[in-house]
PDB file of all heavy atoms in Angstrom:
ATOM      1  N   ALA A   1       5.679   9.810  14.120  1.00 93.00           N
ATOM      2  CA  ALA A   1       5.115   9.842  15.463  1.00 93.00           C
ATOM      3  C   ALA A   1       3.900   8.938  15.604  1.00 93.00           C
ATOM      4  O   ALA A   1       3.623   8.425  16.687  1.00 93.00           O
ATOM      5  CB  ALA A   1       4.752  11.270  15.852  1.00 93.00           C
ATOM      6  N   LYS A   2       3.166   8.738  14.505  1.00 95.00           N
ATOM      7  CA  LYS A   2       1.972   7.902  14.522  1.00 95.00           C
ATOM      8  C   LYS A   2       2.217   6.503  13.981  1.00 95.00           C
ATOM      9  O   LYS A   2       1.280   5.710  13.896  1.00 95.00           O
ATOM     10  CB  LYS A   2       0.854   8.566  13.721  1.00 95.00           C
ATOM     11  CG  LYS A   2       0.353   9.862  14.311  1.00 95.00           C
ATOM     12  CD  LYS A   2      -0.778  10.435  13.475  1.00 95.00           C
ATOM     13  CE  LYS A   2      -1.314  11.717  14.083  1.00 95.00           C
ATOM     14  NZ  LYS A   2      -2.414  12.298  13.267  1.00 95.00           N
ATOM     15  N   ASN A   3       3.452   6.201  13.607  1.00 95.00           N
ATOM     16  CA  ASN A   3       3.791   4.902  13.016  1.00 95.00           C
ATOM     17  C   ASN A   3       2.872   4.576  11.839  1.00 95.00           C
ATOM     18  O   ASN A   3       2.359   3.459  11.714  1.00 95.00           O
ATOM     19  CB  ASN A   3       3.704   3.791  14.062  1.00 95.00           C
ATOM     20  CG  ASN A   3       4.912   3.742  14.968  1.00 95.00           C
ATOM     21  OD1 ASN A   3       5.773   4.609  14.913  1.00 95.00           O
ATOM     22  ND2 ASN A   3       4.980   2.718  15.812  1.00 95.00           N
ATOM     23  N   THR A   4       2.685   5.557  10.975  1.00 96.00           N
ATOM     24  CA  THR A   4       1.704   5.443   9.909  1.00 96.00           C
ATOM     25  C   THR A   4       2.241   5.993   8.599  1.00 96.00           C
ATOM     26  O   THR A   4       2.972   6.987   8.585  1.00 96.00           O
ATOM     27  CB  THR A   4       0.416   6.201  10.283  1.00 96.00           C
ATOM     28  OG1 THR A   4      -0.114   5.675  11.502  1.00 96.00           O
ATOM     29  CG2 THR A   4      -0.633   6.079   9.191  1.00 96.00           C
ATOM     30  N   ILE A   5       1.888   5.329   7.494  1.00 97.00           N
ATOM     31  CA  ILE A   5       2.115   5.895   6.176  1.00 97.00           C
ATOM     32  C   ILE A   5       0.769   6.080   5.490  1.00 97.00           C
ATOM     33  O   ILE A   5      -0.219   5.428   5.841  1.00 97.00           O
ATOM     34  CB  ILE A   5       3.047   5.039   5.293  1.00 97.00           C
ATOM     35  CG1 ILE A   5       2.406   3.681   4.967  1.00 97.00           C
ATOM     36  CG2 ILE A   5       4.402   4.875   5.951  1.00 97.00           C
ATOM     37  CD1 ILE A   5       3.093   2.968   3.816  1.00 97.00           C
ATOM     38  N   TYR A   6       0.753   6.962   4.500  1.00 98.00           N
ATOM     39  CA  TYR A   6      -0.467   7.290   3.788  1.00 98.00           C
ATOM     40  C   TYR A   6      -0.242   7.202   2.294  1.00 98.00           C
ATOM     41  O   TYR A   6       0.874   7.331   1.801  1.00 98.00           O
ATOM     42  CB  TYR A   6      -0.928   8.706   4.124  1.00 98.00           C
ATOM     43  CG  TYR A   6      -1.094   8.968   5.599  1.00 98.00           C
ATOM     44  CD1 TYR A   6      -0.071   9.539   6.341  1.00 98.00           C
ATOM     45  CD2 TYR A   6      -2.280   8.639   6.247  1.00 98.00           C
ATOM     46  CE1 TYR A   6      -0.220   9.778   7.699  1.00 98.00           C
ATOM     47  CE2 TYR A   6      -2.438   8.878   7.602  1.00 98.00           C
ATOM     48  CZ  TYR A   6      -1.410   9.446   8.321  1.00 98.00           C
ATOM     49  OH  TYR A   6      -1.564   9.680   9.664  1.00 98.00           O
ATOM     50  N   LEU A   7      -1.324   6.997   1.581  1.00 98.00           N
ATOM     51  CA  LEU A   7      -1.306   7.091   0.132  1.00 98.00           C
ATOM     52  C   LEU A   7      -2.470   7.977  -0.280  1.00 98.00           C
ATOM     53  O   LEU A   7      -3.627   7.556  -0.213  1.00 98.00           O
ATOM     54  CB  LEU A   7      -1.419   5.717  -0.531  1.00 98.00           C
ATOM     55  CG  LEU A   7      -1.293   5.719  -2.054  1.00 98.00           C
ATOM     56  CD1 LEU A   7       0.132   6.093  -2.467  1.00 98.00           C
ATOM     57  CD2 LEU A   7      -1.681   4.363  -2.642  1.00 98.00           C
ATOM     58  N   GLN A   8      -2.159   9.206  -0.666  1.00 98.00           N
ATOM     59  CA  GLN A   8      -3.171  10.129  -1.153  1.00 98.00           C
ATOM     60  C   GLN A   8      -3.361   9.880  -2.637  1.00 98.00           C
ATOM     61  O   GLN A   8      -2.420  10.030  -3.416  1.00 98.00           O
ATOM     62  CB  GLN A   8      -2.747  11.575  -0.908  1.00 98.00           C
ATOM     63  CG  GLN A   8      -3.724  12.617  -1.429  1.00 98.00           C
ATOM     64  CD  GLN A   8      -5.049  12.580  -0.708  1.00 98.00           C
ATOM     65  OE1 GLN A   8      -5.090  12.542   0.522  1.00 98.00           O
ATOM     66  NE2 GLN A   8      -6.140  12.574  -1.457  1.00 98.00           N
ATOM     67  N   MET A   9      -4.559   9.506  -3.028  1.00 98.00           N
ATOM     68  CA  MET A   9      -4.855   9.163  -4.406  1.00 98.00           C
ATOM     69  C   MET A   9      -5.827  10.186  -4.978  1.00 98.00           C
ATOM     70  O   MET A   9      -6.948  10.328  -4.488  1.00 98.00           O
ATOM     71  CB  MET A   9      -5.446   7.758  -4.503  1.00 98.00           C
ATOM     72  CG  MET A   9      -4.570   6.681  -3.872  1.00 98.00           C
ATOM     73  SD  MET A   9      -5.231   5.007  -4.100  1.00 98.00           S
ATOM     74  CE  MET A   9      -6.717   5.118  -3.091  1.00 98.00           C
ATOM     75  N   ASN A  10      -5.398  10.897  -6.002  1.00 98.00           N
ATOM     76  CA  ASN A  10      -6.214  11.897  -6.672  1.00 98.00           C
ATOM     77  C   ASN A  10      -6.447  11.497  -8.120  1.00 98.00           C
ATOM     78  O   ASN A  10      -5.728  10.673  -8.671  1.00 98.00           O
ATOM     79  CB  ASN A  10      -5.539  13.269  -6.622  1.00 98.00           C
ATOM     80  CG  ASN A  10      -5.339  13.785  -5.219  1.00 98.00           C
ATOM     81  OD1 ASN A  10      -6.162  13.544  -4.336  1.00 98.00           O
ATOM     82  ND2 ASN A  10      -4.251  14.523  -5.006  1.00 98.00           N
ATOM     83  N   SER A  11      -7.446  12.108  -8.727  1.00 98.00           N
ATOM     84  CA  SER A  11      -7.770  11.859 -10.135  1.00 98.00           C
ATOM     85  C   SER A  11      -7.875  10.367 -10.426  1.00 98.00           C
ATOM     86  O   SER A  11      -7.297   9.856 -11.389  1.00 98.00           O
ATOM     87  CB  SER A  11      -6.716  12.506 -11.041  1.00 98.00           C
ATOM     88  OG  SER A  11      -6.644  13.900 -10.824  1.00 98.00           O
ATOM     89  N   LEU A  12      -8.620   9.667  -9.596  1.00 98.00           N
ATOM     90  CA  LEU A  12      -8.708   8.217  -9.703  1.00 98.00           C
ATOM     91  C   LEU A  12      -9.373   7.786 -11.000  1.00 98.00           C
ATOM     92  O   LEU A  12     -10.317   8.426 -11.481  1.00 98.00           O
ATOM     93  CB  LEU A  12      -9.460   7.649  -8.510  1.00 98.00           C
ATOM     94  CG  LEU A  12      -8.630   7.574  -7.228  1.00 98.00           C
ATOM     95  CD1 LEU A  12      -9.528   7.430  -6.014  1.00 98.00           C
ATOM     96  CD2 LEU A  12      -7.649   6.406  -7.316  1.00 98.00           C
ATOM     97  N   LYS A  13      -8.867   6.705 -11.554  1.00 97.00           N
ATOM     98  CA  LYS A  13      -9.353   6.122 -12.793  1.00 97.00           C
ATOM     99  C   LYS A  13      -9.874   4.716 -12.529  1.00 97.00           C
ATOM    100  O   LYS A  13      -9.481   4.084 -11.550  1.00 97.00           O
ATOM    101  CB  LYS A  13      -8.223   6.053 -13.827  1.00 97.00           C
ATOM    102  CG  LYS A  13      -7.519   7.368 -14.090  1.00 97.00           C
ATOM    103  CD  LYS A  13      -6.325   7.159 -15.012  1.00 97.00           C
ATOM    104  CE  LYS A  13      -5.596   8.450 -15.271  1.00 97.00           C
ATOM    105  NZ  LYS A  13      -4.418   8.241 -16.153  1.00 97.00           N
ATOM    106  N   PRO A  14     -10.737   4.192 -13.400  1.00 97.00           N
ATOM    107  CA  PRO A  14     -11.215   2.822 -13.222  1.00 97.00           C
ATOM    108  C   PRO A  14     -10.087   1.803 -13.112  1.00 97.00           C
ATOM    109  O   PRO A  14     -10.221   0.823 -12.374  1.00 97.00           O
ATOM    110  CB  PRO A  14     -12.070   2.584 -14.474  1.00 97.00           C
ATOM    111  CG  PRO A  14     -12.574   3.934 -14.828  1.00 97.00           C
ATOM    112  CD  PRO A  14     -11.430   4.871 -14.511  1.00 97.00           C
ATOM    113  N   GLU A  15      -8.994   2.010 -13.815  1.00 96.00           N
ATOM    114  CA  GLU A  15      -7.875   1.082 -13.763  1.00 96.00           C
ATOM    115  C   GLU A  15      -7.124   1.104 -12.434  1.00 96.00           C
ATOM    116  O   GLU A  15      -6.257   0.264 -12.194  1.00 96.00           O
ATOM    117  CB  GLU A  15      -6.894   1.320 -14.919  1.00 96.00           C
ATOM    118  CG  GLU A  15      -6.440   2.761 -15.055  1.00 96.00           C
ATOM    119  CD  GLU A  15      -7.229   3.515 -16.108  1.00 96.00           C
ATOM    120  OE1 GLU A  15      -8.470   3.379 -16.132  1.00 96.00           O
ATOM    121  OE2 GLU A  15      -6.609   4.244 -16.910  1.00 96.00           O
ATOM    122  N   ASP A  16      -7.448   2.062 -11.566  1.00 98.00           N
ATOM    123  CA  ASP A  16      -6.866   2.097 -10.231  1.00 98.00           C
ATOM    124  C   ASP A  16      -7.590   1.169  -9.260  1.00 98.00           C
ATOM    125  O   ASP A  16      -7.107   0.951  -8.144  1.00 98.00           O
ATOM    126  CB  ASP A  16      -6.890   3.519  -9.658  1.00 98.00           C
ATOM    127  CG  ASP A  16      -6.004   4.472 -10.427  1.00 98.00           C
ATOM    128  OD1 ASP A  16      -4.882   4.082 -10.806  1.00 98.00           O
ATOM    129  OD2 ASP A  16      -6.440   5.631 -10.639  1.00 98.00           O
ATOM    130  N   ALA A  17      -8.737   0.657  -9.651  1.00 97.00           N
ATOM    131  CA  ALA A  17      -9.505  -0.225  -8.783  1.00 97.00           C
ATOM    132  C   ALA A  17      -8.724  -1.498  -8.496  1.00 97.00           C
ATOM    133  O   ALA A  17      -8.244  -2.168  -9.409  1.00 97.00           O
ATOM    134  CB  ALA A  17     -10.850  -0.560  -9.420  1.00 97.00           C
ATOM    135  N   ALA A  18      -8.578  -1.827  -7.232  1.00 98.00           N
ATOM    136  CA  ALA A  18      -7.804  -2.991  -6.820  1.00 98.00           C
ATOM    137  C   ALA A  18      -7.849  -3.109  -5.308  1.00 98.00           C
ATOM    138  O   ALA A  18      -8.348  -2.219  -4.615  1.00 98.00           O
ATOM    139  CB  ALA A  18      -6.346  -2.871  -7.282  1.00 98.00           C
ATOM    140  N   VAL A  19      -7.321  -4.213  -4.804  1.00 98.00           N
ATOM    141  CA  VAL A  19      -7.039  -4.319  -3.386  1.00 98.00           C
ATOM    142  C   VAL A  19      -5.646  -3.743  -3.165  1.00 98.00           C
ATOM    143  O   VAL A  19      -4.688  -4.155  -3.819  1.00 98.00           O
ATOM    144  CB  VAL A  19      -7.097  -5.773  -2.884  1.00 98.00           C
ATOM    145  CG1 VAL A  19      -6.705  -5.850  -1.414  1.00 98.00           C
ATOM    146  CG2 VAL A  19      -8.497  -6.343  -3.088  1.00 98.00           C
ATOM    147  N   TYR A  20      -5.543  -2.787  -2.271  1.00 98.00           N
ATOM    148  CA  TYR A  20      -4.275  -2.129  -1.997  1.00 98.00           C
ATOM    149  C   TYR A  20      -3.658  -2.696  -0.726  1.00 98.00           C
ATOM    150  O   TYR A  20      -4.321  -2.805   0.308  1.00 98.00           O
ATOM    151  CB  TYR A  20      -4.474  -0.614  -1.863  1.00 98.00           C
ATOM    152  CG  TYR A  20      -4.630   0.076  -3.192  1.00 98.00           C
ATOM    153  CD1 TYR A  20      -5.773  -0.109  -3.950  1.00 98.00           C
ATOM    154  CD2 TYR A  20      -3.621   0.900  -3.694  1.00 98.00           C
ATOM    155  CE1 TYR A  20      -5.911   0.502  -5.190  1.00 98.00           C
ATOM    156  CE2 TYR A  20      -3.752   1.520  -4.920  1.00 98.00           C
ATOM    157  CZ  TYR A  20      -4.895   1.320  -5.667  1.00 98.00           C
ATOM    158  OH  TYR A  20      -5.033   1.933  -6.892  1.00 98.00           O
ATOM    159  N   TYR A  21      -2.376  -3.041  -0.813  1.00 98.00           N
ATOM    160  CA  TYR A  21      -1.656  -3.650   0.292  1.00 98.00           C
ATOM    161  C   TYR A  21      -0.498  -2.765   0.736  1.00 98.00           C
ATOM    162  O   TYR A  21       0.194  -2.177  -0.093  1.00 98.00           O
ATOM    163  CB  TYR A  21      -1.082  -5.014  -0.106  1.00 98.00           C
ATOM    164  CG  TYR A  21      -2.107  -6.049  -0.476  1.00 98.00           C
ATOM    165  CD1 TYR A  21      -2.544  -6.189  -1.787  1.00 98.00           C
ATOM    166  CD2 TYR A  21      -2.630  -6.903   0.488  1.00 98.00           C
ATOM    167  CE1 TYR A  21      -3.481  -7.142  -2.135  1.00 98.00           C
ATOM    168  CE2 TYR A  21      -3.565  -7.861   0.149  1.00 98.00           C
ATOM    169  CZ  TYR A  21      -3.984  -7.982  -1.159  1.00 98.00           C
ATOM    170  OH  TYR A  21      -4.913  -8.935  -1.506  1.00 98.00           O
ATOM    171  N   CYS A  22      -0.291  -2.706   2.025  1.00 98.00           N
ATOM    172  CA  CYS A  22       0.878  -2.068   2.601  1.00 98.00           C
ATOM    173  C   CYS A  22       1.938  -3.134   2.847  1.00 98.00           C
ATOM    174  O   CYS A  22       1.612  -4.263   3.228  1.00 98.00           O
ATOM    175  CB  CYS A  22       0.495  -1.380   3.913  1.00 98.00           C
ATOM    176  SG  CYS A  22       1.821  -0.483   4.724  1.00 98.00           S
ATOM    177  N   ALA A  23       3.199  -2.798   2.622  1.00 98.00           N
ATOM    178  CA  ALA A  23       4.285  -3.745   2.815  1.00 98.00           C
ATOM    179  C   ALA A  23       5.492  -3.069   3.440  1.00 98.00           C
ATOM    180  O   ALA A  23       5.681  -1.857   3.293  1.00 98.00           O
ATOM    181  CB  ALA A  23       4.681  -4.376   1.478  1.00 98.00           C
ATOM    182  N   ALA A  24       6.301  -3.864   4.128  1.00 97.00           N
ATOM    183  CA  ALA A  24       7.494  -3.361   4.796  1.00 97.00           C
ATOM    184  C   ALA A  24       8.743  -4.058   4.292  1.00 97.00           C
ATOM    185  O   ALA A  24       8.734  -5.272   4.041  1.00 97.00           O
ATOM    186  CB  ALA A  24       7.384  -3.548   6.309  1.00 97.00           C
ATOM    187  N   TYR A  25       9.803  -3.285   4.129  1.00 96.00           N
ATOM    188  CA  TYR A  25      11.116  -3.795   3.784  1.00 96.00           C
ATOM    189  C   TYR A  25      12.026  -3.470   4.964  1.00 96.00           C
ATOM    190  O   TYR A  25      12.183  -2.308   5.323  1.00 96.00           O
ATOM    191  CB  TYR A  25      11.633  -3.131   2.510  1.00 96.00           C
ATOM    192  CG  TYR A  25      12.713  -3.890   1.784  1.00 96.00           C
ATOM    193  CD1 TYR A  25      12.461  -4.442   0.532  1.00 96.00           C
ATOM    194  CD2 TYR A  25      13.974  -4.044   2.340  1.00 96.00           C
ATOM    195  CE1 TYR A  25      13.444  -5.132  -0.147  1.00 96.00           C
ATOM    196  CE2 TYR A  25      14.957  -4.743   1.665  1.00 96.00           C
ATOM    197  CZ  TYR A  25      14.689  -5.281   0.414  1.00 96.00           C
ATOM    198  OH  TYR A  25      15.661  -5.967  -0.259  1.00 96.00           O
ATOM    199  N   LEU A  26      12.608  -4.513   5.546  1.00 94.00           N
ATOM    200  CA  LEU A  26      13.409  -4.356   6.750  1.00 94.00           C
ATOM    201  C   LEU A  26      14.896  -4.475   6.459  1.00 94.00           C
ATOM    202  O   LEU A  26      15.303  -5.194   5.550  1.00 94.00           O
ATOM    203  CB  LEU A  26      13.025  -5.410   7.789  1.00 94.00           C
ATOM    204  CG  LEU A  26      11.541  -5.526   8.155  1.00 94.00           C
ATOM    205  CD1 LEU A  26      11.364  -6.631   9.190  1.00 94.00           C
ATOM    206  CD2 LEU A  26      11.011  -4.209   8.683  1.00 94.00           C
ATOM    207  N   PHE A  27      15.700  -3.779   7.246  1.00 93.00           N
ATOM    208  CA  PHE A  27      17.137  -3.985   7.182  1.00 93.00           C
ATOM    209  C   PHE A  27      17.437  -5.446   7.475  1.00 93.00           C
ATOM    210  O   PHE A  27      16.897  -6.026   8.416  1.00 93.00           O
ATOM    211  CB  PHE A  27      17.856  -3.104   8.205  1.00 93.00           C
ATOM    212  CG  PHE A  27      17.869  -1.650   7.872  1.00 93.00           C
ATOM    213  CD1 PHE A  27      17.092  -0.750   8.584  1.00 93.00           C
ATOM    214  CD2 PHE A  27      18.671  -1.168   6.854  1.00 93.00           C
ATOM    215  CE1 PHE A  27      17.109   0.596   8.290  1.00 93.00           C
ATOM    216  CE2 PHE A  27      18.698   0.180   6.540  1.00 93.00           C
ATOM    217  CZ  PHE A  27      17.909   1.064   7.264  1.00 93.00           C
ATOM    218  N   GLY A  28      18.290  -6.043   6.663  1.00 91.00           N
ATOM    219  CA  GLY A  28      18.649  -7.440   6.837  1.00 91.00           C
ATOM    220  C   GLY A  28      17.813  -8.406   6.028  1.00 91.00           C
ATOM    221  O   GLY A  28      18.162  -9.581   5.915  1.00 91.00           O
ATOM    222  N   ASP A  29      16.703  -7.951   5.458  1.00 91.00           N
ATOM    223  CA  ASP A  29      15.872  -8.783   4.603  1.00 91.00           C
ATOM    224  C   ASP A  29      16.237  -8.557   3.145  1.00 91.00           C
ATOM    225  O   ASP A  29      16.819  -7.531   2.783  1.00 91.00           O
ATOM    226  CB  ASP A  29      14.390  -8.486   4.821  1.00 91.00           C
ATOM    227  CG  ASP A  29      13.870  -9.017   6.138  1.00 91.00           C
ATOM    228  OD1 ASP A  29      14.567  -9.805   6.790  1.00 91.00           O
ATOM    229  OD2 ASP A  29      12.746  -8.616   6.526  1.00 91.00           O
ATOM    230  N   SER A  30      15.869  -9.513   2.299  1.00 92.00           N
ATOM    231  CA  SER A  30      16.197  -9.440   0.887  1.00 92.00           C
ATOM    232  C   SER A  30      15.019  -9.025   0.009  1.00 92.00           C
ATOM    233  O   SER A  30      15.172  -8.849  -1.200  1.00 92.00           O
ATOM    234  CB  SER A  30      16.739 -10.784   0.403  1.00 92.00           C
ATOM    235  OG  SER A  30      15.787 -11.806   0.589  1.00 92.00           O
ATOM    236  N   THR A  31      13.851  -8.879   0.609  1.00 94.00           N
ATOM    237  CA  THR A  31      12.660  -8.513  -0.144  1.00 94.00           C
ATOM    238  C   THR A  31      11.630  -7.911   0.805  1.00 94.00           C
ATOM    239  O   THR A  31      11.865  -7.796   2.003  1.00 94.00           O
ATOM    240  CB  THR A  31      12.083  -9.746  -0.865  1.00 94.00           C
ATOM    241  OG1 THR A  31      11.025  -9.348  -1.744  1.00 94.00           O
ATOM    242  CG2 THR A  31      11.554 -10.755   0.150  1.00 94.00           C
ATOM    243  N   TRP A  32      10.489  -7.519   0.250  1.00 96.00           N
ATOM    244  CA  TRP A  32       9.373  -7.062   1.072  1.00 96.00           C
ATOM    245  C   TRP A  32       8.888  -8.260   1.889  1.00 96.00           C
ATOM    246  O   TRP A  32       8.467  -9.273   1.330  1.00 96.00           O
ATOM    247  CB  TRP A  32       8.254  -6.516   0.198  1.00 96.00           C
ATOM    248  CG  TRP A  32       8.685  -5.347  -0.633  1.00 96.00           C
ATOM    249  CD1 TRP A  32       9.232  -5.372  -1.884  1.00 96.00           C
ATOM    250  CD2 TRP A  32       8.605  -3.970  -0.246  1.00 96.00           C
ATOM    251  NE1 TRP A  32       9.512  -4.093  -2.300  1.00 96.00           N
ATOM    252  CE2 TRP A  32       9.125  -3.212  -1.321  1.00 96.00           C
ATOM    253  CE3 TRP A  32       8.142  -3.301   0.886  1.00 96.00           C
ATOM    254  CZ2 TRP A  32       9.200  -1.819  -1.282  1.00 96.00           C
ATOM    255  CZ3 TRP A  32       8.219  -1.916   0.921  1.00 96.00           C
ATOM    256  CH2 TRP A  32       8.740  -1.195  -0.152  1.00 96.00           C
ATOM    257  N   SER A  33       8.952  -8.164   3.199  1.00 92.00           N
ATOM    258  CA  SER A  33       8.762  -9.326   4.059  1.00 92.00           C
ATOM    259  C   SER A  33       7.493  -9.315   4.904  1.00 92.00           C
ATOM    260  O   SER A  33       7.081 -10.361   5.410  1.00 92.00           O
ATOM    261  CB  SER A  33       9.963  -9.491   4.985  1.00 92.00           C
ATOM    262  OG  SER A  33      10.150  -8.345   5.793  1.00 92.00           O
ATOM    263  N   SER A  34       6.886  -8.160   5.088  1.00 95.00           N
ATOM    264  CA  SER A  34       5.670  -8.057   5.890  1.00 95.00           C
ATOM    265  C   SER A  34       4.573  -7.395   5.073  1.00 95.00           C
ATOM    266  O   SER A  34       4.823  -6.408   4.379  1.00 95.00           O
ATOM    267  CB  SER A  34       5.923  -7.251   7.169  1.00 95.00           C
ATOM    268  OG  SER A  34       6.895  -7.876   7.990  1.00 95.00           O
ATOM    269  N   TRP A  35       3.374  -7.939   5.181  1.00 96.00           N
ATOM    270  CA  TRP A  35       2.242  -7.459   4.384  1.00 96.00           C
ATOM    271  C   TRP A  35       0.995  -7.310   5.232  1.00 96.00           C
ATOM    272  O   TRP A  35       0.750  -8.095   6.147  1.00 96.00           O
ATOM    273  CB  TRP A  35       1.942  -8.431   3.237  1.00 96.00           C
ATOM    274  CG  TRP A  35       3.049  -8.551   2.243  1.00 96.00           C
ATOM    275  CD1 TRP A  35       4.155  -9.337   2.333  1.00 96.00           C
ATOM    276  CD2 TRP A  35       3.147  -7.856   1.002  1.00 96.00           C
ATOM    277  NE1 TRP A  35       4.956  -9.173   1.232  1.00 96.00           N
ATOM    278  CE2 TRP A  35       4.358  -8.271   0.388  1.00 96.00           C
ATOM    279  CE3 TRP A  35       2.344  -6.931   0.342  1.00 96.00           C
ATOM    280  CZ2 TRP A  35       4.769  -7.785  -0.845  1.00 96.00           C
ATOM    281  CZ3 TRP A  35       2.754  -6.449  -0.893  1.00 96.00           C
ATOM    282  CH2 TRP A  35       3.951  -6.874  -1.473  1.00 96.00           C
ATOM    283  N   GLY A  36       0.199  -6.297   4.906  1.00 97.00           N
ATOM    284  CA  GLY A  36      -1.104  -6.167   5.511  1.00 97.00           C
ATOM    285  C   GLY A  36      -2.114  -7.039   4.792  1.00 97.00           C
ATOM    286  O   GLY A  36      -1.797  -7.745   3.832  1.00 97.00           O
ATOM    287  N   GLN A  37      -3.352  -6.991   5.241  1.00 97.00           N
ATOM    288  CA  GLN A  37      -4.406  -7.823   4.671  1.00 97.00           C
ATOM    289  C   GLN A  37      -5.091  -7.185   3.466  1.00 97.00           C
ATOM    290  O   GLN A  37      -5.819  -7.855   2.745  1.00 97.00           O
ATOM    291  CB  GLN A  37      -5.449  -8.159   5.736  1.00 97.00           C
ATOM    292  CG  GLN A  37      -4.903  -9.014   6.869  1.00 97.00           C
ATOM    293  CD  GLN A  37      -4.343 -10.323   6.368  1.00 97.00           C
ATOM    294  OE1 GLN A  37      -5.022 -11.072   5.658  1.00 97.00           O
ATOM    295  NE2 GLN A  37      -3.102 -10.617   6.726  1.00 97.00           N
ATOM    296  N   GLY A  38      -4.862  -5.901   3.245  1.00 97.00           N
ATOM    297  CA  GLY A  38      -5.393  -5.222   2.085  1.00 97.00           C
ATOM    298  C   GLY A  38      -6.655  -4.431   2.371  1.00 97.00           C
ATOM    299  O   GLY A  38      -7.405  -4.738   3.292  1.00 97.00           O
ATOM    300  N   THR A  39      -6.881  -3.410   1.558  1.00 98.00           N
ATOM    301  CA  THR A  39      -8.096  -2.617   1.622  1.00 98.00           C
ATOM    302  C   THR A  39      -8.592  -2.370   0.197  1.00 98.00           C
ATOM    303  O   THR A  39      -7.816  -2.051  -0.696  1.00 98.00           O
ATOM    304  CB  THR A  39      -7.864  -1.289   2.380  1.00 98.00           C
ATOM    305  OG1 THR A  39      -9.100  -0.592   2.540  1.00 98.00           O
ATOM    306  CG2 THR A  39      -6.861  -0.393   1.663  1.00 98.00           C
ATOM    307  N   GLN A  40      -9.886  -2.546  -0.003  1.00 98.00           N
ATOM    308  CA  GLN A  40     -10.471  -2.498  -1.345  1.00 98.00           C
ATOM    309  C   GLN A  40     -10.730  -1.067  -1.790  1.00 98.00           C
ATOM    310  O   GLN A  40     -11.331  -0.273  -1.059  1.00 98.00           O
ATOM    311  CB  GLN A  40     -11.783  -3.285  -1.368  1.00 98.00           C
ATOM    312  CG  GLN A  40     -12.511  -3.239  -2.709  1.00 98.00           C
ATOM    313  CD  GLN A  40     -11.824  -4.067  -3.764  1.00 98.00           C
ATOM    314  OE1 GLN A  40     -11.550  -5.245  -3.551  1.00 98.00           O
ATOM    315  NE2 GLN A  40     -11.540  -3.449  -4.909  1.00 98.00           N
ATOM    316  N   VAL A  41     -10.283  -0.762  -2.996  1.00 98.00           N
ATOM    317  CA  VAL A  41     -10.579   0.520  -3.636  1.00 98.00           C
ATOM    318  C   VAL A  41     -11.384   0.235  -4.896  1.00 98.00           C
ATOM    319  O   VAL A  41     -10.939  -0.503  -5.772  1.00 98.00           O
ATOM    320  CB  VAL A  41      -9.298   1.295  -3.989  1.00 98.00           C
ATOM    321  CG1 VAL A  41      -9.628   2.528  -4.834  1.00 98.00           C
ATOM    322  CG2 VAL A  41      -8.556   1.694  -2.722  1.00 98.00           C
ATOM    323  N   THR A  42     -12.574   0.809  -4.981  1.00 98.00           N
ATOM    324  CA  THR A  42     -13.437   0.640  -6.135  1.00 98.00           C
ATOM    325  C   THR A  42     -13.664   1.992  -6.794  1.00 98.00           C
ATOM    326  O   THR A  42     -14.003   2.966  -6.125  1.00 98.00           O
ATOM    327  CB  THR A  42     -14.785   0.024  -5.725  1.00 98.00           C
ATOM    328  OG1 THR A  42     -14.568  -1.234  -5.073  1.00 98.00           O
ATOM    329  CG2 THR A  42     -15.670  -0.189  -6.944  1.00 98.00           C
ATOM    330  N   VAL A  43     -13.473   2.052  -8.103  1.00 97.00           N
ATOM    331  CA  VAL A  43     -13.643   3.289  -8.861  1.00 97.00           C
ATOM    332  C   VAL A  43     -14.702   3.039  -9.924  1.00 97.00           C
ATOM    333  O   VAL A  43     -14.573   2.130 -10.734  1.00 97.00           O
ATOM    334  CB  VAL A  43     -12.332   3.749  -9.517  1.00 97.00           C
ATOM    335  CG1 VAL A  43     -12.533   5.091 -10.209  1.00 97.00           C
ATOM    336  CG2 VAL A  43     -11.218   3.834  -8.482  1.00 97.00           C
TER     337      VAL A  43
END
């Protein structure tokens, strides 16, 4: 209903630190074809 996905991250570790990107796979495409700009996670 909100056109939204979430990623709940618990028990975060230093190795989880990264820029996290959302991506879409569409019917008719052969790979992940759409990408967001990313959001920084620092642990």
